Amino acid sequence: MILQRENIPNINQISTELSRIIGDDRSNEIRQFFTYYQQCQAGANEIGTKLDNLDSEFQMRDNHNPIHHMETRMKAPQSLVRKLAKKGYDFNFNAIKDNIFDIAGIRVITNYLNDIDTVEQALTQQTDITVIKRKDYITNPKPSGYRSLHLVVSVPVFRTDGPVDTPVEIQLRTVGMDMWASLEHKLRYKTKVDSAKIEKYGDQLKQYSGELNHIETQMQAIFEDLQEN
Ligand code: GTP
Ligand code: MG
C-alpha cells in the first residue's frame, strides 16, 4: 500500500512558485528543472512498484509481509531552494542534479526489524538498481535517538528518448521507529514552544527511542518463535 504523503504540486504550480522565488528571467532553467522533477517522480513510482511486487512475493512465499506501508513525497520547491542555499548554491539545474538526491522520496515502514534488511537486500540486488548513498542510523542512531536506514538509489526511468538514471531517496524504518520519528518531529518542529524548552526533554525522547527498540526486538523474537512452530 503506497500513500501519497501530500498532494504533489502540478507542474504549473511549481513553475509559478519557482518564478516567484528565483525570478521570471530564469524560465529556461525552470523548464529544465521540472522535466527533471517529473523524471524523479517517475523514479519513485518505479521503486514503489518494485517494493510492492517484492512484498507480494514474500507474502506468497513466507506468508509474511515485510512492508507495513509506504509513503511517497516530492520535495516542495521552497524546501529545495532552502536546501540549495544551505549547501551554498543558487538555484541552478546542475547544482540540483549534482547535490540534491531527495527530490523524490519513499518511506518504507516495515513490520519487524529484520524486515528492513530483507527489503534492502531484495531491492538493491536487482540489476537495474545502484546504491549511491547509504546511511545506517539503526546501527548508529543519531544523537537525538533517531533510527532509520537511509538509502539513495539510482533507477533507470524510460523516457520517450531512452533510459535515464534517476536518484530516489528511500528511508526504511520499522513501525516503532516511525512512531518515534513522527512524534518527535511534531514535538520539535510543530509545537509552538521555544527550542530551549524542548531540549530539556531531549534525554527522555532518546531514552524512549531505546525502549521502543527493545520492545521491537522482543516482539520480533515472539514472531520468530511462532513462525518456527
Ligand atoms: P540532507 O542533504 O539534509 O538530506 O542530508 P542527509 O540526507 O544527510 O540528512 P539525514 O541523513 O540527516 O536525513 C534527513 C532526514 O532524516 C530528515 O528529512 C528526516 O526525515 C530524518 N531525520 C534525520 N534526523 C532526524 C531526527 O533527529 N528526528 C526526526 N524525527 N527525523 C530525522
Ligand atoms: Mg536527505
Side-chain angles (χ1 to χ4, degrees):
M1 179 186 38
I2 308 180
L3 308 170
Q4 219 84 269
R5 242 186 295 156
E6 61 265 326
N7 288 337
I8 292 175
N10 72 34
I11 293 299
N12 287 338
Q13 283 171 306
I14 300 164
S15 160
T16 312
E17 208 172 319
L18 270 178
S19 298
R20 199 171 42 74
I21 301 171
I22 69 170
D24 279 333
D25 53 324
R26 310 277 299 280
S27 59
N28 238 346
E29 198 114 25
I30 293 174
R31 202 164 318 115
Q32 219 178 353
F33 165 71
F34 55 62
T35 301
Y36 186 61
Y37 195 87
Q38 192 272 330
Q39 176 193 325
C40 290
Q41 193 178 338
N45 291 341
E46 296 284 353
I47 297 291
T49 301
K50 281 174 177 293
L51 290 167
D52 236 352
N53 289 341
L54 286 168
D55 193 53
S56 304
E57 189 187 338
F58 281 115
Q59 169 60 35
M60 210 178 66
R61 202 189 70 183
D62 307 335
N63 198 24
H64 165 63
N65 283 99
I67 299 177
H68 183 273
H69 71 280
M70 294 185 267
E71 299 167 359
T72 61
R73 75 106 185 82
M74 291 297 292
K75 204 172 196 68
Q78 317 91 294
S79 101
L80 177 82
V81 171
R82 216 177 305 128
K83 186 163 179 173
L84 273 175
K86 219 174 84 186
K87 289 179 182 267
Y89 299 99
D90 282 339
F91 186 90
N92 159 318
F93 182 62
N94 285 328
I96 293 171
K97 271 188 89 164
D98 296 345
N99 296 282
I100 309 290
F101 304 114
D102 63 345
I103 289 179
I106 181 156
R107 189 170 283 163
V108 182
I109 291 95
T110 68
N111 284 304
Y112 293 100
L113 287 162
N114 284 353
D115 293 332
I116 294 179
D117 189 50
T118 305
V119 172
E120 182 195 13
Q121 293 301 325
L123 180 72
T124 59
Q125 77 186 13
Q126 297 191 1
T127 51
D128 54 350
I129 295 283
T130 310
V131 178
I132 299 176
K133 225 162 98 171
R134 182 178 192 276
K135 285 193 199 163
D136 185 352
Y137 299 124
I138 297 172
T139 311
N140 301 299
K142 287 209 168 187
S144 60
Y146 177 77
R147 289 177 151 85
S148 284
L149 175 66
H150 289 191
L151 302 175
V152 176
V153 302
S154 168
V155 61
V157 166
F158 287 82
R159 301 186 66 86
T160 49
D161 51 0
V164 267
D165 288 334
T166 307
V168 177
E169 184 183 77
I170 309 174
Q171 297 181 348
L172 293 124
R173 51 170 77 150
T174 58
V175 277
M177 294 174 198
D178 188 53
M179 173 202 150
W180 185 93
S182 306
L183 295 183
E184 191 259 4
H185 179 79
K186 285 198 180 101
L187 290 173
R188 213 170 271 282
Y189 301 104
K190 301 284 162 74
T191 55
K192 296 265 185 298
V193 298
D194 62 70
S195 58
K197 227 168 171 181
I198 176 86
E199 282 321 315
K200 82 172 177 191
Y201 294 109
D203 287 346
Q204 216 173 319
L205 289 168
K206 186 174 185 164
Q207 187 194 328
Y208 297 157
S209 160
E211 286 176 21
L212 281 166
N213 187 248
H214 180 63
I215 292 170
E216 290 199 297
T217 307
Q218 288 177 310
M219 293 199 70
Q220 174 162 303
I222 297 176
F223 171 69
E224 278 164 11
D225 184 55
L226 294 175
Q227 285 277 84
E228 278 163 24
N229 296 324

